Amino acid sequence: KIALSRGIPDRLPFGEYAVDSDTVERVIGHSTFLRNKAASKIALWEGKRDEVATSWKEDQVEFHRKMGCFDIVNLMAEATALLPPKDYEPERPKKIGEGVWEGQHGKVYKYSEVTRDILLVHDPEASSRTYTVENFEEEEPSFPDPSIFEVIDYVIQHLGKEKFIIGPSGTPVELVLLGPIEQALCRFLEDPELVKAAAKYYVQEGNLQDFIYIRPGTDGVMWGQDFAYKNGPLVSPAIFYEFVVPFAKERVRHIHDNFHIPVIKHACGNNWSLLDMFVEIGWDCYQSIQASAGMDLGKVKEKYGEKMALWGGVPVELLVS
């Protein structure tokens, strides 16, 4: 907490954004669904929710206790914490080829060797769905079944007194992407009032959801959308300022005022042209400072270290090579 408030702690806090299942298995000595993205997804398709839940809960606690060196437990990485509700109806896609599945309404999923995940690569409904300003003015906020937080509550119970627990919040409001990425990015120019109506709705929804999603014992929350690739952001700084800053600022203010915990921003890519806006939004910590995208940690520290905490580290590609 001292480091997040930009003070000088007695020792540097240490934590990983995520540790994948192959490493976890070497530490705990048995197979796991924890951060085993493809295996977890298939198991959930097959209705094995409780089996996945048990693994995510028990293996997470065992891993952190055996490692001993982590001060931070991030429950916002994929295949780590948020579950389907107990009474969910599995989608059960049909395997139609090696690493390819067909789901309901023509959805197509493919296994990615790069991410070791199963990705939705085609969704006819997403491409054909229509959005109107009136939809967002009339739509009621959605609230989850509390059973989706089973893993989070368990980890807080078992590790909360010794670790800094990062959990979810209500809907984050960042780049509002309505539909497939190409359509969604064009909407910022073609239908700006629609995008703003959606952002206003998500602010209201997220503010209400916070009281359910931010579990007792949560020390901080993390928002995980990336804004940039290696060469720069997906949208211009002007568009980012108009369509992201005011709405994200309101969501961060709500969390600060009502829960008094930090909001950590995970953002890969080259974010140099957006960092002043990160500060204005009020994000307490910038995480995933990607050296291979030109985000030199020392330079970011020199320019922004007095304005927000920086969760940096050693690039994974350097450790591998």
Side-chain angles (χ1 to χ4, degrees), residues 24-204:
V24 173
E25 289 173 352
R26 289 186 178 95
V27 172
I28 65 177
H30 56 81
S31 62
T32 185
F33 284 116
L34 184 63
R35 278 292 289 177
N36 195 335
K37 293 175 281 186
S40 293
K41 190 163 289 184
I42 291 171
L44 293 173
W45 282 347
E46 294 173 346
K48 299 176 181 177
R49 177 203 178 276
D50 291 345
E51 185 178 336
V52 171
T54 298
S55 178
W56 287 2
K57 289 188 297 186
E58 296 179 357
D59 295 349
Q60 196 143 215
V61 171
E62 181 181 4
F63 171 75
H64 281 281
R65 287 192 169 147
K66 283 190 172 179
M67 288 297 294
C69 59
F70 293 102
D71 301 296
I72 302 163
V73 178
N74 176 30
L75 297 175
M76 287 310 298
E78 192 173 354
T80 301
L82 286 173
L83 292 160
K86 271 192 169 291
D87 59 354
Y88 84 115
E89 181 59 39
E91 185 175 350
R92 303 186 189 279
K94 178 183 178 182
K95 193 168 187 178
I96 58 174
E98 187 60 37
V100 184
W101 294 259
E102 183 177 8
Q104 299 173 353
H105 311 295
K107 291 180 181 178
V108 177
Y109 299 89
K110 285 187 178 180
Y111 176 74
S112 166
E113 291 283 356
V114 175
T115 63
R116 298 175 64 203
D117 195 5
I118 296 172
L119 307 175
L120 176 61
V121 296
H122 179 62
D123 183 357
E125 288 187 332
S127 301
S128 61
R129 181 180 176 186
T130 58
Y131 299 89
T132 67
V133 171
E134 291 73 26
N135 289 155
F136 291 106
E137 291 175 345
E138 297 168 1
E139 192 167 341
E140 292 294 323
S142 62
F143 297 97
D145 183 313
S147 63
I148 74 170
F149 304 114
E150 179 181 337
V151 173
I152 295 171
D153 293 342
Y154 180 93
V155 173
I156 289 173
Q157 178 187 353
H158 287 80
L159 295 177
K161 291 183 179 179
E162 54 194 277
K163 308 291 184 184
F164 185 92
I165 307 293
I166 297 174
S169 67
T171 303
V173 183
E174 305 169 278
L175 279 176
V176 175
L177 300 177
L178 303 175
I181 186 69
E182 296 87 354
Q183 290 181 15
L185 292 175
C186 287
R187 282 193 167 102
F188 289 104
L189 297 176
E190 296 174 349
D191 202 345
E193 294 311 311
L194 172 63
V195 177
K196 289 180 181 178
K200 290 176 184 176
Y201 167 78
Y202 293 135
V203 167
Q204 295 170 355

